[in-house]
Amino acid sequence: MEYHEVLEYFIDKYSKEEADELIRAVIEQNGTDERKMTLLIADKLMEYCQELAPATVLMFAPPYMPAVNSLMMMNW
C-alpha cells in the first residue's frame, strides 16, 4: 500500500483538517529530523487506520546525508 492511499483512506474516514492537524502535531513534536518525521507520520496514520493492518507502506523518505567533514576526516 502506498502512502497516498493511507492518507486518502484517513481523510475519507476522518477529514482533511484532522489529517493536517495530525501531520502538524508530528512535525512539531519531533524537531528537524526529516527522515524520522516521515516514518512517524506514516506510523501515526496507520494507528488511526488499524483496519488496514497488516500493511507495508511504500513511500519516499529523505535520504541520510552524512556530514561532509566526517568523510574528510577518514582520509587523514
Side-chain angles (χ1 to χ4, degrees), residues 8-34:
E8 288 171 5
Y9 185 88
F10 182 94
I11 290 170
D12 289 344
K13 185 175 178 181
Y14 297 98
S15 70
K16 171 103 172 81
E17 292 76 23
E18 287 190 53
D20 292 341
E21 176 60 29
L22 182 139
I23 293 168
R24 186 190 57 74
V26 169
I27 291 170
E28 286 179 357
Q29 292 173 358
N30 294 290
T32 59
D33 186 351
E34 293 156 343

